[in-house]
Amino acid sequence: MAYIVDLRSDTVTKPTKAMKHAMVNSALGDDVYGEDPTVNALETKLAALLGKQAALFVPSGTMANLIAIMVHCNKRGSEAIVGDSCHIFKYEQGGAAHLGGVLLTTLDNKPDGTFELSDLERRIRGSDIHEPVTSMVAVENTHNYCGGKSLPLNWLDELSALCKKHLLPIHMDGARLFNACAHEQQPPSRVVRDCASVSVCFSKGLSAPVGSALVGDYHFIQQARRIRKMLGGGMRQAGVLAAAAIVALDEVVPLLELDHKRAFRLAKVIEGLFLKPFSVDVDNQHSNIVLVRIAASSQLTADKVLQRLAQVSLSETQGDCKTTDDEGVIVKGTAFNEKTLRFTLHREITDEDLWLAIMKITYVFKELGQ
């Protein structure tokens, strides 16, 4: 037997006991008619938290982002400008084009998740009859592919000024918005202040089993509700899911800093190994995601490292790389690309789990790094 420390994603978490209790005892109604009191309570609570007028509960973050794009880009021939490593572009199957008829135009994301605002301004189109019409700009916060980076507030302020100049709405893919708020030590309403719409995920890092939400003004949410129905996202007694999301906001959001601290500890340990094949940008470690880069000159790949982390050798169990019950340890992670590993901390990773993961990662990295 082996003890598994699952660091693949913060989506692997299970609902808390309080969530399960709230789900079983939630007041219910038909949400398509707007009659589910628990969904209504969640939407009101989240809108107030983000300083917006209204919110809409939806099944997933991918649907939330697609709805936002379809509302903002509601004319044929529209385009949305996004970063080239953002979730909307990389991980949502081109849904904006396939389902929304919207062209996604990309800008190069910098390592901190931002892009050059001068490049953005040059790419804005609409005056030429031959070109599509730029109708929105989307950002991601925290930025997953860039290692959980929180977008700098001053950059968001400058982006807002530029978009206001060109009458462009900003949509924030805030799947891990509350991680960004924890890093910036700012309330959510400040971080999303200048965004016309925001998506928030309750099952990434917040331990709820299902659900995301869109937030914006009354008119935006009214249009979003129609598109949600068209996409098949209209749920009925959805309060059983919304109840868990309410608990997530109340009980899990305040604990996110612990995930950040554990992620920083892991990053520092990997950095302190001083192994040439592996590097971590500790100085820019913002949240719960740790990216490990493998040197281009190394023959190692992310997949090979993960395969080794999933194995338990006899020498490990005879040494210190085991639990107190003499179980071997397996660490699960994610390969972002051939030369990048991602480890994601979350609520279910305790200090003991972290220590076991550190022992295993240290053992394997030293073995492979010779």
Short mmCIF file of all heavy atoms in Angstrom, two decimals, residues 156-223:
data_model
loop_
_atom_site.label_atom_id
_atom_site.label_comp_id
_atom_site.label_asym_id
_atom_site.label_seq_id
_atom_site.Cartn_x
_atom_site.Cartn_y
_atom_site.Cartn_z
N LEU A 156 -4.05 46.39 -13.69
CA LEU A 156 -5.50 46.33 -13.93
C LEU A 156 -6.09 47.74 -14.05
O LEU A 156 -6.99 47.97 -14.87
CB LEU A 156 -6.18 45.57 -12.79
CG LEU A 156 -6.01 44.05 -12.79
CD1 LEU A 156 -6.59 43.46 -11.50
CD2 LEU A 156 -6.67 43.41 -14.01
N ASP A 157 -5.57 48.68 -13.26
CA ASP A 157 -6.04 50.06 -13.34
C ASP A 157 -5.71 50.68 -14.70
O ASP A 157 -6.53 51.38 -15.31
CB ASP A 157 -5.42 50.90 -12.22
CG ASP A 157 -5.93 50.51 -10.84
OD1 ASP A 157 -6.97 49.83 -10.76
OD2 ASP A 157 -5.27 50.88 -9.84
N GLU A 158 -4.49 50.41 -15.18
CA GLU A 158 -4.08 50.93 -16.49
C GLU A 158 -4.88 50.28 -17.61
O GLU A 158 -5.27 50.93 -18.59
CB GLU A 158 -2.59 50.71 -16.69
CG GLU A 158 -1.71 51.54 -15.77
CD GLU A 158 -0.24 51.16 -15.87
OE1 GLU A 158 0.11 50.38 -16.77
OE2 GLU A 158 0.56 51.67 -15.06
N LEU A 159 -5.14 48.97 -17.47
CA LEU A 159 -5.96 48.28 -18.46
C LEU A 159 -7.36 48.88 -18.50
O LEU A 159 -7.93 49.09 -19.58
CB LEU A 159 -6.04 46.79 -18.10
CG LEU A 159 -7.02 45.95 -18.92
CD1 LEU A 159 -6.57 45.85 -20.38
CD2 LEU A 159 -7.17 44.54 -18.32
N SER A 160 -7.91 49.17 -17.34
CA SER A 160 -9.24 49.74 -17.27
C SER A 160 -9.31 51.09 -17.98
O SER A 160 -10.25 51.37 -18.73
CB SER A 160 -9.67 49.90 -15.81
OG SER A 160 -10.87 50.64 -15.70
N ALA A 161 -8.30 51.92 -17.74
CA ALA A 161 -8.28 53.25 -18.37
C ALA A 161 -8.25 53.11 -19.89
O ALA A 161 -8.94 53.84 -20.62
CB ALA A 161 -7.08 54.04 -17.87
N LEU A 162 -7.46 52.17 -20.38
CA LEU A 162 -7.35 51.96 -21.82
C LEU A 162 -8.67 51.44 -22.39
O LEU A 162 -9.13 51.91 -23.45
CB LEU A 162 -6.22 50.96 -22.11
CG LEU A 162 -6.05 50.53 -23.57
CD1 LEU A 162 -5.77 51.73 -24.46
CD2 LEU A 162 -4.94 49.49 -23.68
N CYS A 163 -9.29 50.50 -21.70
CA CYS A 163 -10.54 49.93 -22.20
C CYS A 163 -11.68 50.94 -22.15
O CYS A 163 -12.55 50.95 -23.04
CB CYS A 163 -10.90 48.67 -21.40
SG CYS A 163 -9.83 47.26 -21.78
N LYS A 164 -11.70 51.79 -21.14
CA LYS A 164 -12.72 52.84 -21.08
C LYS A 164 -12.55 53.80 -22.25
O LYS A 164 -13.54 54.27 -22.83
CB LYS A 164 -12.62 53.58 -19.75
CG LYS A 164 -13.16 52.80 -18.56
CD LYS A 164 -12.99 53.58 -17.26
CE LYS A 164 -13.53 52.76 -16.08
NZ LYS A 164 -13.31 53.47 -14.78
N LYS A 165 -11.32 54.10 -22.59
CA LYS A 165 -11.03 54.98 -23.72
C LYS A 165 -11.64 54.44 -25.01
O LYS A 165 -12.13 55.19 -25.85
CB LYS A 165 -9.52 55.14 -23.86
CG LYS A 165 -9.05 55.90 -25.08
CD LYS A 165 -7.53 55.91 -25.15
CE LYS A 165 -7.01 56.49 -26.45
NZ LYS A 165 -5.52 56.44 -26.53
N HIS A 166 -11.62 53.11 -25.15
CA HIS A 166 -12.12 52.48 -26.38
C HIS A 166 -13.49 51.83 -26.18
O HIS A 166 -13.95 51.09 -27.05
CB HIS A 166 -11.12 51.43 -26.86
CG HIS A 166 -9.82 52.01 -27.31
ND1 HIS A 166 -9.63 52.53 -28.58
CD2 HIS A 166 -8.64 52.18 -26.67
CE1 HIS A 166 -8.39 52.99 -28.70
NE2 HIS A 166 -7.76 52.78 -27.56
N LEU A 167 -14.13 52.11 -25.06
CA LEU A 167 -15.48 51.61 -24.75
C LEU A 167 -15.55 50.09 -24.81
O LEU A 167 -16.51 49.50 -25.33
CB LEU A 167 -16.50 52.22 -25.71
CG LEU A 167 -16.56 53.76 -25.75
CD1 LEU A 167 -17.58 54.23 -26.77
CD2 LEU A 167 -16.89 54.31 -24.37
N LEU A 168 -14.53 49.43 -24.27
CA LEU A 168 -14.46 47.98 -24.26
C LEU A 168 -14.70 47.43 -22.86
O LEU A 168 -14.04 47.85 -21.90
CB LEU A 168 -13.08 47.50 -24.74
CG LEU A 168 -12.77 47.67 -26.23
CD1 LEU A 168 -11.32 47.25 -26.49
CD2 LEU A 168 -13.72 46.84 -27.07
N PRO A 169 -15.61 46.48 -22.69
CA PRO A 169 -15.80 45.85 -21.38
C PRO A 169 -14.68 44.87 -21.08
O PRO A 169 -14.12 44.24 -21.99
CB PRO A 169 -17.14 45.12 -21.53
CG PRO A 169 -17.23 44.80 -22.99
CD PRO A 169 -16.56 45.96 -23.70
N ILE A 170 -14.35 44.73 -19.81
CA ILE A 170 -13.36 43.75 -19.35
C ILE A 170 -14.09 42.62 -18.66
O ILE A 170 -14.93 42.84 -17.78
CB ILE A 170 -12.36 44.39 -18.36
CG1 ILE A 170 -11.60 45.53 -19.01
CG2 ILE A 170 -11.38 43.33 -17.83
CD1 ILE A 170 -10.75 46.34 -18.01
N HIS A 171 -13.77 41.39 -19.08
CA HIS A 171 -14.26 40.21 -18.36
C HIS A 171 -13.08 39.59 -17.63
O HIS A 171 -12.02 39.37 -18.22
CB HIS A 171 -14.87 39.18 -19.30
CG HIS A 171 -15.16 37.88 -18.64
ND1 HIS A 171 -16.14 37.73 -17.67
CD2 HIS A 171 -14.57 36.64 -18.75
CE1 HIS A 171 -16.16 36.48 -17.25
NE2 HIS A 171 -15.21 35.79 -17.88
N MET A 172 -13.26 39.29 -16.34
CA MET A 172 -12.22 38.62 -15.57
C MET A 172 -12.62 37.17 -15.33
O MET A 172 -13.66 36.91 -14.72
CB MET A 172 -11.97 39.31 -14.23
CG MET A 172 -10.88 38.62 -13.39
SD MET A 172 -10.53 39.45 -11.81
CE MET A 172 -9.67 40.92 -12.38
N ASP A 173 -11.80 36.27 -15.85
CA ASP A 173 -11.94 34.86 -15.48
C ASP A 173 -11.33 34.72 -14.09
O ASP A 173 -10.13 34.54 -13.95
CB ASP A 173 -11.23 33.98 -16.51
CG ASP A 173 -11.23 32.50 -16.13
OD1 ASP A 173 -11.79 32.17 -15.07
OD2 ASP A 173 -10.67 31.69 -16.88
N GLY A 174 -12.18 34.82 -13.09
CA GLY A 174 -11.73 34.78 -11.70
C GLY A 174 -11.96 33.43 -11.07
O GLY A 174 -12.43 33.36 -9.92
N ALA A 175 -11.63 32.37 -11.80
CA ALA A 175 -11.80 31.03 -11.25
C ALA A 175 -11.17 30.92 -9.87
O ALA A 175 -11.73 30.33 -8.95
CB ALA A 175 -11.21 29.99 -12.19
N ARG A 176 -9.98 31.52 -9.73
CA ARG A 176 -9.30 31.55 -8.42
C ARG A 176 -9.17 32.99 -7.92
O ARG A 176 -8.14 33.40 -7.39
CB ARG A 176 -7.93 30.88 -8.52
CG ARG A 176 -7.99 29.39 -8.86
CD ARG A 176 -6.60 28.76 -8.88
NE ARG A 176 -6.65 27.32 -9.09
CZ ARG A 176 -6.59 26.73 -10.30
NH1 ARG A 176 -6.49 27.49 -11.40
NH2 ARG A 176 -6.63 25.42 -10.41
N LEU A 177 -10.25 33.75 -8.09
CA LEU A 177 -10.25 35.16 -7.69
C LEU A 177 -9.87 35.35 -6.23
O LEU A 177 -9.10 36.25 -5.89
CB LEU A 177 -11.64 35.76 -7.94
CG LEU A 177 -11.88 37.16 -7.35
CD1 LEU A 177 -11.00 38.18 -8.03
CD2 LEU A 177 -13.35 37.53 -7.45
N PHE A 178 -10.38 34.51 -5.35
CA PHE A 178 -10.15 34.71 -3.92
C PHE A 178 -8.70 34.41 -3.53
O PHE A 178 -8.21 34.93 -2.52
CB PHE A 178 -11.15 33.89 -3.11
CG PHE A 178 -12.57 34.35 -3.30
CD1 PHE A 178 -13.45 33.62 -4.09
CD2 PHE A 178 -13.01 35.53 -2.72
CE1 PHE A 178 -14.75 34.05 -4.28
CE2 PHE A 178 -14.31 35.97 -2.91
CZ PHE A 178 -15.18 35.23 -3.70
N ASN A 179 -8.01 33.60 -4.33
CA ASN A 179 -6.57 33.44 -4.13
C ASN A 179 -5.85 34.73 -4.46
O ASN A 179 -4.90 35.12 -3.77
CB ASN A 179 -6.03 32.30 -4.99
CG ASN A 179 -6.52 30.94 -4.54
OD1 ASN A 179 -7.51 30.43 -5.05
ND2 ASN A 179 -5.84 30.33 -3.57
N ALA A 180 -6.28 35.40 -5.52
CA ALA A 180 -5.69 36.69 -5.87
C ALA A 180 -5.93 37.71 -4.78
O ALA A 180 -5.03 38.49 -4.41
CB ALA A 180 -6.27 37.18 -7.20
N CYS A 181 -7.14 37.72 -4.23
CA CYS A 181 -7.47 38.66 -3.15
C CYS A 181 -6.61 38.40 -1.92
O CYS A 181 -6.16 39.33 -1.25
CB CYS A 181 -8.95 38.57 -2.80
SG CYS A 181 -10.05 39.01 -4.16
N ALA A 182 -6.39 37.10 -1.61
CA ALA A 182 -5.57 36.76 -0.46
C ALA A 182 -4.13 37.23 -0.66
O ALA A 182 -3.49 37.73 0.27
CB ALA A 182 -5.59 35.25 -0.23
N HIS A 183 -3.62 37.09 -1.88
CA HIS A 183 -2.25 37.54 -2.14
C HIS A 183 -2.14 39.06 -2.08
O HIS A 183 -1.19 39.59 -1.49
CB HIS A 183 -1.78 37.05 -3.51
CG HIS A 183 -0.45 37.60 -3.92
ND1 HIS A 183 0.74 37.17 -3.36
CD2 HIS A 183 -0.11 38.59 -4.80
CE1 HIS A 183 1.75 37.84 -3.89
NE2 HIS A 183 1.26 38.71 -4.75
N GLU A 184 -3.10 39.74 -2.67
CA GLU A 184 -3.05 41.21 -2.73
C GLU A 184 -3.46 41.85 -1.41
O GLU A 184 -3.28 43.05 -1.23
CB GLU A 184 -3.96 41.72 -3.85
CG GLU A 184 -3.59 41.26 -5.26
CD GLU A 184 -2.26 41.82 -5.73
OE1 GLU A 184 -1.83 42.88 -5.20
OE2 GLU A 184 -1.65 41.23 -6.64
N GLN A 185 -4.06 41.04 -0.51
CA GLN A 185 -4.59 41.58 0.74
C GLN A 185 -5.59 42.71 0.47
O GLN A 185 -5.56 43.77 1.11
CB GLN A 185 -3.44 42.08 1.63
CG GLN A 185 -2.51 40.98 2.11
CD GLN A 185 -3.18 40.02 3.09
OE1 GLN A 185 -3.61 40.43 4.16
NE2 GLN A 185 -3.28 38.75 2.72
N GLN A 186 -6.47 42.43 -0.50
CA GLN A 186 -7.48 43.40 -0.91
C GLN A 186 -8.83 42.70 -0.97
O GLN A 186 -8.92 41.51 -1.27
CB GLN A 186 -7.15 43.98 -2.29
CG GLN A 186 -5.91 44.86 -2.34
CD GLN A 186 -6.13 46.21 -1.67
OE1 GLN A 186 -7.28 46.65 -1.47
NE2 GLN A 186 -5.04 46.87 -1.31
N PRO A 187 -9.93 43.43 -0.72
CA PRO A 187 -11.26 42.82 -0.84
C PRO A 187 -11.56 42.53 -2.31
O PRO A 187 -11.05 43.21 -3.21
CB PRO A 187 -12.19 43.90 -0.28
CG PRO A 187 -11.44 45.18 -0.45
CD PRO A 187 -9.99 44.84 -0.27
N PRO A 188 -12.41 41.54 -2.57
CA PRO A 188 -12.74 41.21 -3.96
C PRO A 188 -13.29 42.39 -4.74
O PRO A 188 -13.01 42.53 -5.93
CB PRO A 188 -13.79 40.10 -3.81
CG PRO A 188 -13.53 39.50 -2.47
CD PRO A 188 -13.04 40.62 -1.60
N SER A 189 -14.07 43.24 -4.08
CA SER A 189 -14.66 44.38 -4.77
C SER A 189 -13.60 45.31 -5.34
O SER A 189 -13.81 45.94 -6.39
CB SER A 189 -15.58 45.16 -3.82
OG SER A 189 -14.86 45.59 -2.67
N ARG A 190 -12.43 45.39 -4.70
CA ARG A 190 -11.36 46.23 -5.24
C ARG A 190 -10.68 45.56 -6.44
O ARG A 190 -10.41 46.21 -7.46
CB ARG A 190 -10.30 46.49 -4.14
CG ARG A 190 -9.01 47.14 -4.66
CD ARG A 190 -9.28 48.51 -5.28
NE ARG A 190 -8.06 49.10 -5.83
CZ ARG A 190 -7.68 49.02 -7.11
NH1 ARG A 190 -8.44 48.33 -7.97
NH2 ARG A 190 -6.58 49.59 -7.54
N VAL A 191 -10.45 44.27 -6.34
CA VAL A 191 -9.74 43.56 -7.41
C VAL A 191 -10.55 43.56 -8.69
O VAL A 191 -10.01 43.68 -9.79
CB VAL A 191 -9.41 42.11 -6.97
CG1 VAL A 191 -8.75 41.34 -8.11
CG2 VAL A 191 -8.49 42.14 -5.75
N VAL A 192 -11.89 43.44 -8.59
CA VAL A 192 -12.73 43.36 -9.80
C VAL A 192 -13.44 44.68 -10.09
O VAL A 192 -14.34 44.72 -10.93
CB VAL A 192 -13.78 42.24 -9.64
CG1 VAL A 192 -13.12 40.92 -9.28
CG2 VAL A 192 -14.85 42.60 -8.59
N ARG A 193 -13.03 45.73 -9.45
CA ARG A 193 -13.73 47.02 -9.49
C ARG A 193 -14.07 47.47 -10.91
O ARG A 193 -15.17 47.95 -11.19
CB ARG A 193 -12.87 48.09 -8.81
CG ARG A 193 -13.51 49.46 -8.71
CD ARG A 193 -12.53 50.46 -8.14
NE ARG A 193 -11.37 50.65 -9.02
CZ ARG A 193 -10.26 51.29 -8.66
NH1 ARG A 193 -10.15 51.79 -7.43
NH2 ARG A 193 -9.27 51.44 -9.52
N ASP A 194 -13.14 47.34 -11.83
CA ASP A 194 -13.32 47.90 -13.17
C ASP A 194 -13.73 46.86 -14.21
O ASP A 194 -13.69 47.13 -15.41
CB ASP A 194 -12.02 48.58 -13.61
CG ASP A 194 -11.64 49.73 -12.70
OD1 ASP A 194 -12.52 50.57 -12.41
OD2 ASP A 194 -10.47 49.79 -12.25
N CYS A 195 -14.13 45.68 -13.75
CA CYS A 195 -14.54 44.62 -14.67
C CYS A 195 -16.06 44.67 -14.87
O CYS A 195 -16.82 44.77 -13.91
CB CYS A 195 -14.14 43.26 -14.13
SG CYS A 195 -12.35 43.06 -13.95
N ALA A 196 -16.46 44.57 -16.13
CA ALA A 196 -17.89 44.55 -16.43
C ALA A 196 -18.52 43.23 -16.03
O ALA A 196 -19.71 43.16 -15.72
CB ALA A 196 -18.11 44.81 -17.92
N SER A 197 -17.71 42.17 -16.04
CA SER A 197 -18.20 40.85 -15.64
C SER A 197 -17.06 40.06 -15.04
O SER A 197 -15.89 40.28 -15.36
CB SER A 197 -18.81 40.10 -16.83
OG SER A 197 -17.85 39.93 -17.86
N VAL A 198 -17.43 39.13 -14.16
CA VAL A 198 -16.44 38.29 -13.47
C VAL A 198 -17.03 36.89 -13.34
O VAL A 198 -18.21 36.74 -13.01
CB VAL A 198 -16.11 38.82 -12.05
CG1 VAL A 198 -15.00 37.99 -11.41
CG2 VAL A 198 -15.74 40.29 -12.09
N SER A 199 -16.22 35.88 -13.61
CA SER A 199 -16.63 34.50 -13.30
C SER A 199 -15.85 34.04 -12.07
O SER A 199 -14.68 34.36 -11.91
CB SER A 199 -16.36 33.57 -14.48
OG SER A 199 -14.98 33.50 -14.79
N VAL A 200 -16.52 33.29 -11.22
CA VAL A 200 -15.93 32.76 -9.99
C VAL A 200 -16.24 31.27 -9.92
O VAL A 200 -17.38 30.87 -10.18
CB VAL A 200 -16.48 33.48 -8.74
CG1 VAL A 200 -15.96 32.83 -7.47
CG2 VAL A 200 -16.13 34.96 -8.76
N CYS A 201 -15.24 30.46 -9.58
CA CYS A 201 -15.44 29.01 -9.48
C CYS A 201 -15.46 28.60 -8.00
O CYS A 201 -14.59 28.99 -7.24
CB CYS A 201 -14.34 28.26 -10.21
SG CYS A 201 -14.56 26.48 -10.21
N PHE A 202 -16.46 27.81 -7.63
CA PHE A 202 -16.57 27.34 -6.25
C PHE A 202 -15.90 25.99 -6.02
O PHE A 202 -15.73 25.57 -4.88
CB PHE A 202 -18.04 27.26 -5.84
CG PHE A 202 -18.77 28.56 -5.93
CD1 PHE A 202 -19.78 28.74 -6.87
CD2 PHE A 202 -18.44 29.62 -5.10
CE1 PHE A 202 -20.45 29.95 -6.97
CE2 PHE A 202 -19.10 30.83 -5.19
CZ PHE A 202 -20.11 31.00 -6.13
N SER A 203 -15.55 25.28 -7.10
CA SER A 203 -14.95 23.95 -6.94
C SER A 203 -13.44 23.96 -7.16
O SER A 203 -12.81 22.91 -7.14
CB SER A 203 -15.61 22.96 -7.91
OG SER A 203 -15.40 23.34 -9.25
N LYS A 204 -12.84 25.12 -7.39
CA LYS A 204 -11.39 25.23 -7.49
C LYS A 204 -10.88 25.89 -6.22
O LYS A 204 -11.01 27.09 -6.03
CB LYS A 204 -10.98 26.08 -8.71
CG LYS A 204 -10.90 25.32 -10.00
CD LYS A 204 -10.42 26.20 -11.12
CE LYS A 204 -10.32 25.40 -12.41
NZ LYS A 204 -10.13 26.26 -13.58
N GLY A 205 -10.32 25.09 -5.35
CA GLY A 205 -9.75 25.64 -4.13
C GLY A 205 -10.74 25.88 -3.01
O GLY A 205 -10.35 26.00 -1.86
N LEU A 206 -12.04 25.97 -3.34
CA LEU A 206 -13.03 26.30 -2.32
C LEU A 206 -13.81 25.08 -1.84
O LEU A 206 -14.69 25.20 -1.00
CB LEU A 206 -14.00 27.37 -2.84
CG LEU A 206 -13.36 28.70 -3.28
CD1 LEU A 206 -14.45 29.72 -3.58
CD2 LEU A 206 -12.40 29.23 -2.23
N SER A 207 -13.52 23.90 -2.40
CA SER A 207 -14.02 22.62 -1.91
C SER A 207 -15.49 22.32 -2.21
O SER A 207 -15.98 21.26 -1.83
CB SER A 207 -13.79 22.46 -0.40
OG SER A 207 -12.41 22.40 -0.13
N ALA A 208 -16.20 23.22 -2.85
CA ALA A 208 -17.57 22.90 -3.24
C ALA A 208 -17.53 21.85 -4.36
O ALA A 208 -16.59 21.82 -5.15
CB ALA A 208 -18.31 24.15 -3.71
N PRO A 209 -18.54 20.99 -4.43
CA PRO A 209 -18.48 19.90 -5.42
C PRO A 209 -18.74 20.36 -6.86
O PRO A 209 -18.19 19.79 -7.79
CB PRO A 209 -19.58 18.95 -4.95
CG PRO A 209 -20.54 19.81 -4.21
CD PRO A 209 -19.70 20.86 -3.54
N VAL A 210 -19.57 21.37 -7.03
CA VAL A 210 -19.99 21.79 -8.37
C VAL A 210 -20.31 23.28 -8.34
O VAL A 210 -20.81 23.79 -7.34
CB VAL A 210 -21.27 21.04 -8.84
CG1 VAL A 210 -21.71 21.51 -10.22
CG2 VAL A 210 -21.06 19.53 -8.85
N GLY A 211 -20.06 23.96 -9.45
CA GLY A 211 -20.65 25.29 -9.61
C GLY A 211 -19.70 26.45 -9.74
O GLY A 211 -18.61 26.46 -9.17
N SER A 212 -20.13 27.41 -10.55
CA SER A 212 -19.46 28.69 -10.72
C SER A 212 -20.54 29.76 -10.75
O SER A 212 -21.73 29.45 -10.70
CB SER A 212 -18.64 28.72 -12.01
OG SER A 212 -17.52 27.87 -11.94
N ALA A 213 -20.11 31.00 -10.85
CA ALA A 213 -21.08 32.09 -10.94
C ALA A 213 -20.54 33.19 -11.83
O ALA A 213 -19.32 33.37 -11.95
CB ALA A 213 -21.42 32.64 -9.55
N LEU A 214 -21.44 33.90 -12.47
CA LEU A 214 -21.13 35.11 -13.22
C LEU A 214 -21.66 36.30 -12.45
O LEU A 214 -22.77 36.23 -11.89
CB LEU A 214 -21.79 35.08 -14.60
CG LEU A 214 -20.96 34.72 -15.82
CD1 LEU A 214 -21.85 34.74 -17.06
CD2 LEU A 214 -19.79 35.65 -15.98
N VAL A 215 -20.90 37.38 -12.45
CA VAL A 215 -21.30 38.57 -11.72
C VAL A 215 -21.18 39.78 -12.63
O VAL A 215 -20.24 39.88 -13.43
CB VAL A 215 -20.42 38.77 -10.47
CG1 VAL A 215 -20.90 39.94 -9.64
CG2 VAL A 215 -20.41 37.50 -9.62
N GLY A 216 -22.13 40.69 -12.55
CA GLY A 216 -22.11 41.91 -13.36
C GLY A 216 -23.28 42.80 -13.00
O GLY A 216 -23.87 42.66 -11.93
N ASP A 217 -23.65 43.71 -13.92
CA ASP A 217 -24.79 44.58 -13.63
C ASP A 217 -26.09 43.85 -13.99
O ASP A 217 -26.09 42.75 -14.56
CB ASP A 217 -24.67 45.93 -14.34
CG ASP A 217 -24.69 45.82 -15.87
OD1 ASP A 217 -25.26 44.86 -16.40
OD2 ASP A 217 -24.11 46.71 -16.52
N TYR A 218 -27.22 44.48 -13.66
CA TYR A 218 -28.53 43.83 -13.84
C TYR A 218 -28.77 43.44 -15.29
O TYR A 218 -29.23 42.33 -15.59
CB TYR A 218 -29.65 44.76 -13.36
CG TYR A 218 -29.72 44.96 -11.87
CD1 TYR A 218 -29.68 46.23 -11.32
CD2 TYR A 218 -29.83 43.87 -11.00
CE1 TYR A 218 -29.74 46.42 -9.94
CE2 TYR A 218 -29.90 44.05 -9.63
CZ TYR A 218 -29.85 45.33 -9.11
OH TYR A 218 -29.90 45.51 -7.74
N HIS A 219 -28.46 44.35 -16.20
CA HIS A 219 -28.72 44.08 -17.62
C HIS A 219 -27.85 42.93 -18.11
O HIS A 219 -28.34 42.05 -18.85
CB HIS A 219 -28.45 45.33 -18.45
CG HIS A 219 -28.67 45.13 -19.92
ND1 HIS A 219 -29.91 44.96 -20.48
CD2 HIS A 219 -27.77 45.05 -20.95
CE1 HIS A 219 -29.79 44.79 -21.79
NE2 HIS A 219 -28.51 44.83 -22.10
N PHE A 220 -26.59 42.91 -17.72
CA PHE A 220 -25.70 41.83 -18.14
C PHE A 220 -26.22 40.48 -17.64
O PHE A 220 -26.28 39.50 -18.40
CB PHE A 220 -24.28 42.08 -17.60
CG PHE A 220 -23.35 40.91 -17.80
CD1 PHE A 220 -22.68 40.74 -19.00
CD2 PHE A 220 -23.16 39.97 -16.79
CE1 PHE A 220 -21.84 39.65 -19.20
CE2 PHE A 220 -22.31 38.88 -16.98
CZ PHE A 220 -21.65 38.72 -18.19
N ILE A 221 -26.61 40.40 -16.38
CA ILE A 221 -27.08 39.14 -15.82
C ILE A 221 -28.41 38.72 -16.44
O ILE A 221 -28.67 37.52 -16.65
CB ILE A 221 -27.20 39.23 -14.28
CG1 ILE A 221 -25.80 39.42 -13.67
CG2 ILE A 221 -27.87 38.00 -13.71
CD1 ILE A 221 -24.83 38.28 -13.96
N GLN A 222 -29.25 39.67 -16.79
CA GLN A 222 -30.50 39.35 -17.48
C GLN A 222 -30.21 38.66 -18.81
O GLN A 222 -30.84 37.65 -19.15
CB GLN A 222 -31.30 40.63 -17.71
CG GLN A 222 -32.67 40.41 -18.33
CD GLN A 222 -33.42 41.72 -18.53
OE1 GLN A 222 -32.82 42.74 -18.88
NE2 GLN A 222 -34.72 41.70 -18.31
N GLN A 223 -29.24 39.19 -19.56
CA GLN A 223 -28.86 38.57 -20.84
C GLN A 223 -28.16 37.23 -20.60
O GLN A 223 -28.36 36.27 -21.34
CB GLN A 223 -27.95 39.52 -21.62
CG GLN A 223 -28.60 40.83 -22.02
CD GLN A 223 -29.85 40.60 -22.85
OE1 GLN A 223 -30.96 40.90 -22.43
NE2 GLN A 223 -29.68 40.04 -24.03
#
